Amino acid sequence: MIREVKKTFRSSAAPPPAALAIKVRTLAPSMSRSVGQVAQVLVGDPAGCAVLTVTALARLAGTSEATVVRTARILGYSGYRDLRVALSVLAAQQGSGQAPAVTSDIGVDDPIADVVAKLARDEQQTLAETAACVDTRQLAAAVAAASTARRIAVYGIGASCLVGQDLAQKLLRIGLVAHAHTDPHLAVTNAVLLRQGDVAIAITDSGFTEDVIEPLRAAFERGATTIAITGNPVGPVARYADHLLTTTTTRESELRPAAMSSRTGQLLLIDCLFVGIAQRTYTTAAPALAASYEALAHRHVPNPRQPPHD
């Protein structure tokens, strides 16, 4: 089955005003110089830009009106007018103290109490930013496809591999046929056997991991429905994804590698996927989950503080 490869930039839901800067940061590595200039001007002074005409903003950013309109669409807005509305709301939120907090770095000499506080703050920020930026239409479509899939294959390497395994075991416990493939060769072997009615899920924060892109591409070319969970919605992995779910990451320090932050957003999205699938398949999912609990109940050590059942 021959399928058209997706373009790198695709239309997506406009981010909430508070998440505009987050989306600019996420897309910045893949923006052209002129588009990037416009985006940075927008987030640098949302109040000032909200009152500018498209011509005035183009002049301020040193680019053309067409580039300004293209920037608005890349960011998820239908046009410059909708972007100006979002800028006005963002400016009002910043003026009332509702702007997102800046990520805190962890120093080598930080007391452990500070480490706990900073990590908790950064994890909360990543969760809030990912939730704010998620395209619920894409999520709903991914849930619908996975709920009726004949089988589900999950691909991930490194830290993303652990997230993929978590998703697969959750789906198995509600009666779905799901497997996480962590060996690159076995992943491709699995992918070439997928067909229409199957679902392939790729997890890669960078969007450039070839060991994840290759099996997703193979599944895409053979007609399977493909889903990508990534922190880079304009990376190569997006070309082979029918449904794209985007995570965000906080700024990293030397002692906090990207895998920590990306994992938090990925776990939120796979939990959203799992709960959505469980809702749609509840009549079969609930008995399957109950059976799995019962099958493992005897492996739990009794709680001495809990009175025995009559």
Side-chain angles (χ1 to χ4, degrees):
M1 180 178 180
I2 300 175
R3 300 172 68 185
E4 182 181 355
V5 175
K6 309 288 188 298
K7 293 182 179 180
T8 301
F9 279 114
R10 64 179 70 194
S11 61
S12 61
L20 179 58
I22 303 165
K23 189 155 191 176
V24 169
R25 193 177 75 213
T26 301
L27 296 178
S30 301
M31 287 180 173
S32 67
R33 185 181 63 83
S34 57
V35 169
Q37 288 176 194
V38 176
Q40 292 305 320
V41 169
L42 292 174
V43 298
D45 183 14
C49 293
V51 299
L52 295 179
T53 65
V54 64
T55 303
L57 179 58
R59 188 180 304 115
L60 179 64
T63 186
S64 65
E65 295 179 13
T67 300
V68 171
V69 174
R70 185 164 68 251
T71 303
R73 290 176 177 167
I74 288 173
L75 292 174
Y77 301 95
S78 60
Y80 182 58
R81 177 176 297 180
D82 288 344
L83 175 59
R84 285 182 65 182
V85 172
L87 289 171
S88 297
V89 175
L90 176 59
Q93 290 176 345
Q94 290 178 341
S96 62
Q98 298 180 30
V102 177
T103 302
S104 302
D105 285 340
I106 297 174
V108 68
D109 296 323
D110 279 355
I112 193 64
D114 289 354
V115 171
V116 172
K118 289 181 178 182
L119 282 177
R121 178 181 177 180
D122 286 354
E123 298 286 329
Q124 290 168 357
Q125 181 180 344
T126 298
L127 290 172
E129 291 181 355
T130 297
C133 288
V134 68
D135 187 333
T136 53
R137 294 175 300 180
Q138 291 285 316
L139 178 60
V143 165
S147 298
T148 58
R150 180 176 53 186
R151 52 180 170 171
I152 300 170
V154 188
Y155 310 122
I157 297 294
S160 297
C161 149
L162 303 177
V163 176
Q165 289 175 323
D166 185 51
L167 174 60
Q169 67 91 12
K170 281 182 168 69
L171 296 176
L172 283 171
R173 292 192 67 177
I174 60 172
L176 299 185
V177 179
H179 297 284
H181 299 273
T182 58
D183 180 280
H185 292 177
L186 291 179
V188 174
T189 301
N190 163 265
V192 298
L193 298 177
L194 297 181
R195 296 292 182 268
Q196 187 173 359
D198 298 327
V199 166
I201 302 174
I203 305 175
T204 164
D205 180 57
S206 70
F208 281 85
T209 308
E210 183 59 32
D211 286 337
V212 175
I213 296 172
E214 186 178 1
L216 190 73
R217 177 172 57 234
F220 176 84
E221 291 173 347
R222 285 157 180 78
T225 299
T226 53
I227 301 166
I229 298 176
T230 180
N232 183 4
V234 295
V237 72
R239 300 172 189 165
Y240 307 102
D242 294 307
H243 309 299
L244 192 64
L245 304 178
T246 305
T247 63
T248 63
T249 57
T250 58
R251 295 177 179 87
E252 305 298 339
S253 65
E254 182 181 0
L255 299 181
R256 191 167 191 265
M260 294 175 63
S261 180
S262 63
R263 178 198 59 200
T264 301
Q266 290 169 353
L267 287 171
L268 173 63
L269 288 183
I270 69 160
D271 282 351
C272 291
L273 266 176
F274 169 72
V275 172
I277 294 167
Q279 287 177 315
R280 291 179 67 99
T281 62
Y282 185 77
T283 56
T284 55
L289 193 58
S292 69
Y293 278 128
E294 183 178 353
L296 297 175
H298 70 284
R299 295 183 176 273
H300 292 283
V301 177
N303 185 348
R305 291 177 293 183
Q306 182 177 354
H309 295 290
D310 293 335

